[in-house]
Amino acid sequence: MKTYISNALIVVAFLWIIINYTYFRVDKLPEAISYNFTPKDTTWKQLSIREKIGQTMIVRAFHKSQVEEFGSIENMMKTYPIGGLFIPWWDYLNTPPRNQVISTIKKAVLDYENASKYPMIVTEDFERGVGSIYSEFTNMPSEMALGAANRTDLAYKFGNAIAKESNVLGINWLLHPLVDLNMNPLQDLVIERAISDDATRAYPLLKAQIQGMNAQGVVATIKHFPGDGATIKNQHLITSANNLSVPEWNATFGTLYQKMINNGAPCIMVGHIRFPAYQKEKRNGVLLPASLSEELMVGLLKKKMKFNGIIMSDALNMGGVAGYYDSEIETSLAAFKAGVDMVLWPTLKFMDSLEVRIKRGEIPMSRLDDAVERIWGVREHYDLLKKKNSIFYTLSDSEKRTIKKDGQEIANTAVTLLTDSIKIPLKPSENKRIAIVNISHKNRTKELRLTQNLLQEKGFVVDTILHNPGFLEWEENLKFFDTYDKVLVAFENRYFNPLGASLLKDKEALAVWTMGMLPQHKIIAVSYSNPYYVNFYFDNAYIGINAYSLNAFSQKAVVDALTGAIPFKGTTPVKLDHDVLK
């Protein structure tokens, strides 16, 4: 009997080991296929060590100060032959005159290009379109609007439009799209920047978007490996984490990344994000973020998942990567040594320091050669080895009209009806007077004048736009709203506005209190950003709408859908009914 029990226990233990080994390892991803970025052109081998290091650097193009320091960009490039730039929009927008910003950027980009032996890699981040930063271009709906529209043809147009307008500025490499999944409704960094919380929904839309970018010769960077959106941590402030189990990660982020790799994703940005379920590697007793982890970048991404493209770090001046090493430059060197191929925003002194470390033998030359060969392969694939006659694209009037048409179609298809207790359409004959109340950190009344004008064009009277009417001031004055048939409560807190927790606080929270005191049949609650706001703050509103963006296209889509000019077609791309929001 004892022998029987003993043998049974051995069998059970053996089965447990087998199940644990197969289920909890990263072996259940889709088959890893090594997409071939190995370059046929081998001239990279003849580059000097400083030229090779320069290929790994994406330096902020502080053109004016760099000219002042070196006398000219040509002089700078002789000493520091960098291969890539990031256009720091804040530096150009804050340098008057405003009407010369675009021409100033183009002159600066051309200056670097002319001083370089090879075409410059010119990067930027235009997740919502070039017009989200530069008003001369198109401000597109957010990624989550694509998720709500859920049409691959629109995702393709979205990527294509942003790439075209980027090419106007000479930008050939974009630091998006996000492959993050907004699984945690309290996450303040990802939110509507992600397409969805569902990898199955996100994948075909991401694939189509990148195809649209590639059609314009623009390189896409998918981010932030191993995947953001599962916790509430913000990697700009502190090290974040992907807190999923390995099986959960396999089924979501892992599958999504593996499919993108198999499709030929040229560049993956690693985040300042841990993956505790997978990692063992620590420094001073603490798990490293992916941006410093050889275990995640080389062991998992390059070897296990057979990624043959470029690993780019997220910006190394962020709080999520700070404190592991003594300085930012030591952090940059450690990231490169651990597997980063392109370092985002290093100082020029990075080149000097890396050269010294390689010559000392502290960082092997093979690590540099591996990085440069990967970069060269992507350059060759995207025709970035030979200079062109012109690096700037000129948009035709027809193309400008098409981009605007596509932006409106995305917004029209995305706008999502959550609740409707009075039966849309809204009619001036029944609800003539409408007030608009903007609940947001930053005052958006100027932008919401478009909604005011659009409603007035349809026959409504809209003579009031308020920003954060606090209950402490309005408690005795709520009769003000008696003269209005409806109050359109417009939520809008986007990424970094404000920086901090996603739920409303202080003045915004007091404004919710004020609006909550009104009869709920008066409330039309619309979120132009966070998709959870309406469901959380006004789940009993008579009309609830998610629009995902406050751009002109989305505002028009809301008004047209409210008044019956277009149908509500959008479907919610994230789960709204979370326990933490109940």
Side-chain angles (χ1 to χ4, degrees):
M1 183 67 178
K2 288 182 179 179
T3 303
Y4 176 79
I5 294 172
S6 177
N7 289 340
L9 289 173
I10 291 171
V11 171
V12 169
F14 179 75
L15 288 173
W16 184 90
I17 290 170
I18 294 296
I19 292 168
N20 188 61
Y21 182 82
T22 56
Y23 188 64
F24 289 95
R25 283 174 55 87
V26 188
D27 290 334
K28 299 192 71 174
L29 294 171
E31 180 186 0
I33 301 170
S34 183
Y35 191 93
N36 187 16
F37 280 113
T38 304
K40 295 177 182 177
D41 185 294
T42 59
T43 54
W44 66 270
K45 294 180 180 181
Q46 279 74 56
L47 299 179
S48 70
I49 187 170
R50 289 181 72 82
E51 287 175 326
K52 286 182 178 180
I53 294 169
Q55 290 298 313
T56 72
M57 297 169 67
I58 304 295
V59 175
R60 283 167 288 187
F62 293 122
H63 183 263
K64 185 177 179 181
S65 61
Q66 286 163 350
V67 169
E68 289 173 355
E69 181 179 356
F70 292 95
S72 68
I73 296 301
E74 186 177 3
N75 287 341
M76 185 193 91
M77 294 285 280
K78 286 177 182 176
T79 307
Y80 295 101
I82 59 171
L85 302 170
F86 177 89
I87 306 302
W89 54 265
W90 57 90
D91 193 53
Y92 293 89
L93 281 179
N94 295 332
T95 304
R98 177 64 185 84
N99 64 353
Q100 294 180 23
V101 166
I102 301 304
S103 60
T104 301
I105 290 172
K106 291 173 75 171
K107 286 176 184 176
V109 169
L110 190 59
D111 205 4
Y112 292 102
E113 175 76 7
N114 289 339
S116 176
K117 184 186 296 186
Y118 295 98
M120 288 300 298
I121 289 170
V122 187
T123 70
E124 241 294 5
D125 195 336
F126 294 132
E127 293 170 15
R128 300 184 192 221
V130 185
S132 62
I133 296 175
Y134 303 110
S135 58
E136 293 84 349
F137 296 92
T138 311
N139 189 359
M140 299 292 281
S142 67
E143 290 278 359
M144 192 163 282
L146 283 184
N150 201 22
R151 279 176 41 188
T152 54
D153 62 322
L154 295 180
Y156 180 94
K157 291 175 180 179
F158 179 87
N160 193 264
I162 294 175
K164 264 187 185 175
E165 292 197 340
S166 298
N167 277 335
V168 173
L169 294 172
I171 292 165
N172 51 31
W173 195 302
L174 290 171
L175 306 185
H176 52 83
L178 269 75
V179 183
D180 297 329
L181 299 170
N182 197 69
M183 296 177 170
N184 193 318
L186 301 182
Q187 164 64 235
D188 69 294
L189 178 60
V190 177
I191 341 172
E192 73 275 11
R193 296 171 68 206
I195 279 182
S196 179
D197 59 6
D198 179 1
T200 303
R201 187 178 189 126
Y203 168 66
L205 299 172
L206 287 163
K207 180 181 177 182
Q209 184 181 158
I210 291 172
Q211 288 172 338
M213 295 165 70
N214 289 348
Q216 298 303 317
V218 170
V219 184
T221 304
I222 59 175
K223 61 185 184 184
H224 304 83
F225 188 85
D228 206 355
T231 70
I232 66 172
K233 291 184 175 181
N234 183 332
Q235 60 175 313
H236 286 85
L237 310 178
I238 54 176
T239 305
S240 186
N242 188 309
N243 60 359
L244 301 183
S245 68
V246 171
E248 289 171 330
W249 187 84
N250 285 342
T252 54
F253 293 97
T255 292
L256 194 49
Y257 270 102
Q258 189 65 73
K259 286 182 176 180
M260 303 299 281
I261 289 167
N262 293 353
N263 284 340
C267 185
I268 295 177
M269 180 181 287
V270 287
H272 310 316
I273 303 169
R274 300 182 181 115
F275 185 9
Y278 183 83
Q279 285 179 271
K280 295 182 178 64
E281 175 186 18
K282 294 182 179 180
R283 179 175 173 81
N284 298 326
V286 179
L287 291 172
L288 292 166
S291 48
L292 294 173
S293 172
E294 184 175 356
E295 186 178 20
L296 292 178
M297 288 191 285
V298 178
L300 177 55
L301 197 47
K302 290 182 177 179
K303 291 183 178 178
K304 190 76 177 179
M305 300 177 78
K306 296 185 180 179
F307 178 55
N308 195 33
I310 297 164
I311 291 181
M312 181 187 290
S313 72
D314 205 340
L316 293 173
N317 63 349
M318 289 164 61
V321 75
Y324 297 92
Y325 294 89
D326 291 340
S327 65
E328 191 176 318
I329 197 160
E330 289 298 326
T331 300
S332 301
L333 293 165
F336 179 79
K337 184 178 181 181
V340 166
D341 304 306
M342 270 187 173
V343 180
L344 187 62
W345 298 2
T347 65
L348 292 174
K349 296 299 181 184
F350 171 82
M351 185 178 291
D352 301 325
S353 298
L354 182 52
E355 181 181 21
V356 169
R357 301 298 170 92
I358 289 174
K359 287 181 175 179
R360 282 182 191 163
E362 295 175 19
I363 296 176
M365 189 66 191
S366 59
R367 170 75 276 267
L368 178 60
D369 283 345
D370 171 60
V372 177
E373 184 174 18
R374 288 168 176 270
I375 293 164
W376 218 251
V378 173
R379 274 183 171 275
E380 183 178 77
H381 189 83
Y382 285 87
D383 196 22
L384 290 172
L385 287 179
K386 295 181 181 179
K387 290 194 175 185
K388 301 177 176 65
N389 293 331
S390 175
I391 59 172
F392 304 112
Y393 185 73
T394 301
L395 280 174
S396 68
D397 290 339
S398 174
E399 286 174 314
K400 291 176 184 177
R401 288 191 297 271
T402 298
I403 288 172
K404 288 187 177 358
K405 177 176 172 289
D406 293 342
Q408 191 62 64
E409 187 178 8
I410 292 167
N412 288 354
T413 313
V415 65
T416 306
L417 183 63
L418 304 177
T419 57
D420 175 17
S421 300
I422 62 168
K423 302 304 176 189
I424 292 170
L426 212 61
K427 299 175 183 177
S429 59
E430 299 169 0
N431 296 285
K432 184 76 170 177
R433 289 176 56 78
I434 299 176
I436 298 174
V437 173
N438 168 220
I439 299 180
S440 62
H441 176 71
K442 185 175 180 179
N443 190 334
R444 300 293 183 185
T445 56
K446 183 179 178 181
E447 290 97 320
L448 285 164
R449 297 213 179 277
L450 175 59
T451 291
Q452 178 186 31
N453 294 336
L454 291 169
L455 284 168
Q456 288 180 156
E457 287 173 7
K458 291 181 179 288
F460 297 92
V461 174
V462 187
D463 55 13
T464 295
I465 304 180
L466 300 173
H467 178 241
N468 291 345
F471 183 68
L472 300 180
E473 295 81 28
W474 278 83
E475 182 179 6
E476 304 300 327
N477 300 301
L478 290 175
K479 288 187 177 180
F480 172 84
F481 294 100
D482 289 350
T483 62
Y484 292 95
D485 301 300
K486 290 288 176 283
V487 180
L488 193 155
V489 178
F491 290 105
E492 202 278 347
N493 276 344
R494 68 186 73 171
Y495 156 56
F496 259 50
N497 264 300
L499 176 61
S502 59
L503 293 182
L504 303 178
K505 48 199 172 294
D506 195 32
K507 294 178 180 179
E508 299 104 289
L510 286 169
V512 169
W513 188 351
T514 304
M515 293 297 97
M517 300 300 291
L518 299 181
Q520 292 305 293
H521 70 269
K522 285 198 170 196
I523 300 296
I524 303 170
V526 184
S527 178
Y528 292 96
S529 57
N530 191 313
Y532 308 102
Y533 279 166
V534 171
N535 205 50
F536 183 71
Y537 291 108
F538 283 104
D539 62 343
N540 58 344
Y542 271 50
I543 301 176
I545 296 169
N546 272 338
Y548 313 102
S549 309
L550 189 63
N551 64 352
F553 301 129
S554 299
Q555 288 190 62
K556 187 175 187 305
V558 167
V559 172
D560 283 349
L562 262 176
T563 57
I566 62 171
F568 282 95
K569 293 181 180 178
T571 55
T572 302
V574 291
K575 177 186 174 185
L576 296 177
D577 188 23
H578 285 262
D579 288 340
V580 294
L581 294 179
K582 289 180 179 177

mmCIF file of all heavy atoms in Angstrom, residues 82-102:
data_model
loop_
_atom_site.group_PDB
_atom_site.id
_atom_site.type_symbol
_atom_site.label_atom_id
_atom_site.label_comp_id
_atom_site.label_asym_id
_atom_site.label_seq_id
_atom_site.Cartn_x
_atom_site.Cartn_y
_atom_site.Cartn_z
ATOM 1 N N ILE A 82 26.790 61.488 -35.576
ATOM 2 C CA ILE A 82 25.572 60.791 -35.150
ATOM 3 C C ILE A 82 24.770 60.315 -36.366
ATOM 4 O O ILE A 82 24.863 60.885 -37.456
ATOM 5 C CB ILE A 82 24.703 61.691 -34.252
ATOM 6 C CG1 ILE A 82 24.314 62.980 -34.998
ATOM 7 C CG2 ILE A 82 25.425 62.008 -32.955
ATOM 8 C CD1 ILE A 82 23.289 63.825 -34.281
ATOM 9 N N GLY A 83 23.955 59.305 -36.141
ATOM 10 C CA GLY A 83 23.152 58.756 -37.239
ATOM 11 C C GLY A 83 21.688 59.122 -37.173
ATOM 12 O O GLY A 83 20.979 58.995 -38.169
ATOM 13 N N GLY A 84 21.228 59.572 -35.992
ATOM 14 C CA GLY A 84 19.800 59.817 -35.851
ATOM 15 C C GLY A 84 19.463 61.027 -35.014
ATOM 16 O O GLY A 84 20.221 61.435 -34.120
ATOM 17 N N LEU A 85 18.302 61.614 -35.302
ATOM 18 C CA LEU A 85 17.807 62.809 -34.623
ATOM 19 C C LEU A 85 16.416 62.579 -34.069
ATOM 20 O O LEU A 85 15.647 61.775 -34.599
ATOM 21 C CB LEU A 85 17.701 63.991 -35.598
ATOM 22 C CG LEU A 85 18.931 64.467 -36.342
ATOM 23 C CD1 LEU A 85 18.506 65.475 -37.407
ATOM 24 C CD2 LEU A 85 19.922 65.092 -35.383
ATOM 25 N N PHE A 86 16.093 63.289 -33.023
ATOM 26 C CA PHE A 86 14.709 63.455 -32.583
ATOM 27 C C PHE A 86 14.436 64.949 -32.618
ATOM 28 O O PHE A 86 15.224 65.748 -32.126
ATOM 29 C CB PHE A 86 14.508 62.921 -31.165
ATOM 30 C CG PHE A 86 13.116 63.135 -30.630
ATOM 31 C CD1 PHE A 86 12.120 62.195 -30.844
ATOM 32 C CD2 PHE A 86 12.790 64.294 -29.933
ATOM 33 C CE1 PHE A 86 10.838 62.389 -30.362
ATOM 34 C CE2 PHE A 86 11.507 64.502 -29.445
ATOM 35 C CZ PHE A 86 10.532 63.554 -29.660
ATOM 36 N N ILE A 87 13.299 65.331 -33.211
ATOM 37 C CA ILE A 87 12.958 66.755 -33.301
ATOM 38 C C ILE A 87 12.229 67.162 -32.014
ATOM 39 O O ILE A 87 11.073 66.794 -31.816
ATOM 40 C CB ILE A 87 12.068 67.043 -34.531
ATOM 41 C CG1 ILE A 87 12.724 66.521 -35.806
ATOM 42 C CG2 ILE A 87 11.789 68.536 -34.636
ATOM 43 C CD1 ILE A 87 14.089 67.093 -36.097
ATOM 44 N N PRO A 88 12.895 67.906 -31.121
ATOM 45 C CA PRO A 88 12.245 68.315 -29.867
ATOM 46 C C PRO A 88 11.297 69.486 -30.122
ATOM 47 O O PRO A 88 11.688 70.651 -30.088
ATOM 48 C CB PRO A 88 13.431 68.723 -28.983
ATOM 49 C CG PRO A 88 14.481 69.175 -29.945
ATOM 50 C CD PRO A 88 14.270 68.408 -31.225
ATOM 51 N N TRP A 89 10.044 69.164 -30.367
ATOM 52 C CA TRP A 89 9.072 70.180 -30.784
ATOM 53 C C TRP A 89 9.010 71.344 -29.813
ATOM 54 O O TRP A 89 8.792 72.491 -30.217
ATOM 55 C CB TRP A 89 7.686 69.550 -30.945
ATOM 56 C CG TRP A 89 7.197 68.808 -29.744
ATOM 57 C CD1 TRP A 89 7.313 67.470 -29.502
ATOM 58 C CD2 TRP A 89 6.533 69.359 -28.603
ATOM 59 N NE1 TRP A 89 6.767 67.146 -28.289
ATOM 60 C CE2 TRP A 89 6.269 68.284 -27.713
ATOM 61 C CE3 TRP A 89 6.126 70.639 -28.244
ATOM 62 C CZ2 TRP A 89 5.642 68.464 -26.484
ATOM 63 C CZ3 TRP A 89 5.483 70.823 -27.026
ATOM 64 C CH2 TRP A 89 5.254 69.747 -26.168
ATOM 65 N N TRP A 90 9.187 71.068 -28.512
ATOM 66 C CA TRP A 90 9.093 72.131 -27.522
ATOM 67 C C TRP A 90 10.165 73.199 -27.734
ATOM 68 O O TRP A 90 9.950 74.374 -27.446
ATOM 69 C CB TRP A 90 9.178 71.533 -26.113
ATOM 70 C CG TRP A 90 10.423 70.736 -25.850
ATOM 71 C CD1 TRP A 90 11.614 71.189 -25.352
ATOM 72 C CD2 TRP A 90 10.608 69.339 -26.102
ATOM 73 N NE1 TRP A 90 12.530 70.168 -25.273
ATOM 74 C CE2 TRP A 90 11.939 69.020 -25.720
ATOM 75 C CE3 TRP A 90 9.785 68.332 -26.580
ATOM 76 C CZ2 TRP A 90 12.460 67.729 -25.820
ATOM 77 C CZ3 TRP A 90 10.319 67.054 -26.685
ATOM 78 C CH2 TRP A 90 11.629 66.755 -26.309
ATOM 79 N N ASP A 91 11.328 72.792 -28.244
ATOM 80 C CA ASP A 91 12.407 73.747 -28.477
ATOM 81 C C ASP A 91 12.071 74.668 -29.647
ATOM 82 O O ASP A 91 12.386 75.855 -29.621
ATOM 83 C CB ASP A 91 13.709 72.987 -28.761
ATOM 84 C CG ASP A 91 14.931 73.894 -28.707
ATOM 85 O OD1 ASP A 91 15.096 74.592 -27.693
ATOM 86 O OD2 ASP A 91 15.718 73.901 -29.678
ATOM 87 N N TYR A 92 11.395 74.132 -30.667
ATOM 88 C CA TYR A 92 11.068 74.929 -31.846
ATOM 89 C C TYR A 92 9.799 75.754 -31.639
ATOM 90 O O TYR A 92 9.737 76.915 -32.052
ATOM 91 C CB TYR A 92 10.929 74.015 -33.073
ATOM 92 C CG TYR A 92 12.248 73.398 -33.464
ATOM 93 C CD1 TYR A 92 12.663 72.183 -32.919
ATOM 94 C CD2 TYR A 92 13.107 74.034 -34.351
ATOM 95 C CE1 TYR A 92 13.883 71.621 -33.254
ATOM 96 C CE2 TYR A 92 14.332 73.468 -34.697
ATOM 97 C CZ TYR A 92 14.715 72.268 -34.139
ATOM 98 O OH TYR A 92 15.931 71.724 -34.468
ATOM 99 N N LEU A 93 8.799 75.182 -30.979
ATOM 100 C CA LEU A 93 7.552 75.919 -30.758
ATOM 101 C C LEU A 93 7.754 77.098 -29.809
ATOM 102 O O LEU A 93 7.040 78.096 -29.893
ATOM 103 C CB LEU A 93 6.480 74.990 -30.187
ATOM 104 C CG LEU A 93 5.771 74.075 -31.183
ATOM 105 C CD1 LEU A 93 4.757 73.193 -30.462
ATOM 106 C CD2 LEU A 93 5.072 74.861 -32.278
ATOM 107 N N ASN A 94 8.706 76.973 -28.917
ATOM 108 C CA ASN A 94 8.945 78.042 -27.946
ATOM 109 C C ASN A 94 9.949 79.073 -28.429
ATOM 110 O O ASN A 94 10.376 79.940 -27.672
ATOM 111 C CB ASN A 94 9.424 77.443 -26.615
ATOM 112 C CG ASN A 94 8.357 76.596 -25.956
ATOM 113 O OD1 ASN A 94 7.172 76.828 -26.160
ATOM 114 N ND2 ASN A 94 8.755 75.603 -25.185
ATOM 115 N N THR A 95 10.335 78.940 -29.685
ATOM 116 C CA THR A 95 11.267 79.912 -30.277
ATOM 117 C C THR A 95 10.516 80.714 -31.334
ATOM 118 O O THR A 95 10.233 80.206 -32.412
ATOM 119 C CB THR A 95 12.469 79.190 -30.928
ATOM 120 O OG1 THR A 95 13.094 78.366 -29.959
ATOM 121 C CG2 THR A 95 13.476 80.197 -31.463
ATOM 122 N N PRO A 96 10.165 81.950 -31.033
ATOM 123 C CA PRO A 96 9.404 82.757 -32.014
ATOM 124 C C PRO A 96 10.271 83.105 -33.222
ATOM 125 O O PRO A 96 11.503 82.992 -33.162
ATOM 126 C CB PRO A 96 9.029 84.000 -31.208
ATOM 127 C CG PRO A 96 10.035 84.084 -30.103
ATOM 128 C CD PRO A 96 10.457 82.676 -29.802
ATOM 129 N N PRO A 97 9.670 83.524 -34.350
ATOM 130 C CA PRO A 97 8.231 83.730 -34.531
ATOM 131 C C PRO A 97 7.506 82.424 -34.867
ATOM 132 O O PRO A 97 8.052 81.560 -35.542
ATOM 133 C CB PRO A 97 8.155 84.714 -35.697
ATOM 134 C CG PRO A 97 9.399 84.448 -36.483
ATOM 135 C CD PRO A 97 10.444 84.043 -35.490
ATOM 136 N N ARG A 98 6.249 82.324 -34.412
ATOM 137 C CA ARG A 98 5.480 81.093 -34.573
ATOM 138 C C ARG A 98 5.246 80.734 -36.034
ATOM 139 O O ARG A 98 5.253 79.556 -36.405
ATOM 140 C CB ARG A 98 4.127 81.241 -33.843
ATOM 141 C CG ARG A 98 3.182 80.048 -33.999
ATOM 142 C CD ARG A 98 3.772 78.792 -33.369
ATOM 143 N NE ARG A 98 2.961 77.611 -33.590
ATOM 144 C CZ ARG A 98 3.008 76.841 -34.685
ATOM 145 N NH1 ARG A 98 3.826 77.149 -35.682
ATOM 146 N NH2 ARG A 98 2.249 75.778 -34.789
ATOM 147 N N ASN A 99 5.068 81.717 -36.891
ATOM 148 C CA ASN A 99 4.753 81.427 -38.293
ATOM 149 C C ASN A 99 5.958 80.914 -39.082
ATOM 150 O O ASN A 99 5.845 80.603 -40.260
ATOM 151 C CB ASN A 99 4.142 82.652 -38.980
ATOM 152 C CG ASN A 99 5.113 83.826 -39.055
ATOM 153 O OD1 ASN A 99 6.196 83.790 -38.488
ATOM 154 N ND2 ASN A 99 4.709 84.875 -39.761
ATOM 155 N N GLN A 100 7.112 80.828 -38.418
ATOM 156 C CA GLN A 100 8.299 80.314 -39.098
ATOM 157 C C GLN A 100 8.776 78.985 -38.521
ATOM 158 O O GLN A 100 9.861 78.507 -38.861
ATOM 159 C CB GLN A 100 9.427 81.358 -39.018
ATOM 160 C CG GLN A 100 9.137 82.627 -39.791
ATOM 161 C CD GLN A 100 10.263 83.648 -39.685
ATOM 162 O OE1 GLN A 100 11.412 83.289 -39.409
ATOM 163 N NE2 GLN A 100 9.952 84.918 -39.910
ATOM 164 N N VAL A 101 7.977 78.382 -37.663
ATOM 165 C CA VAL A 101 8.399 77.151 -37.000
ATOM 166 C C VAL A 101 8.670 76.032 -38.004
ATOM 167 O O VAL A 101 9.712 75.368 -37.943
ATOM 168 C CB VAL A 101 7.343 76.696 -35.966
ATOM 169 C CG1 VAL A 101 7.605 75.255 -35.525
ATOM 170 C CG2 VAL A 101 7.374 77.605 -34.754
ATOM 171 N N ILE A 102 7.754 75.815 -38.932
ATOM 172 C CA ILE A 102 7.906 74.705 -39.883
ATOM 173 C C ILE A 102 9.137 74.915 -40.767
ATOM 174 O O ILE A 102 9.934 73.992 -40.978
ATOM 175 C CB ILE A 102 6.637 74.544 -40.745
ATOM 176 C CG1 ILE A 102 5.413 74.290 -39.854
ATOM 177 C CG2 ILE A 102 6.814 73.416 -41.747
ATOM 178 C CD1 ILE A 102 5.545 73.109 -38.918
#
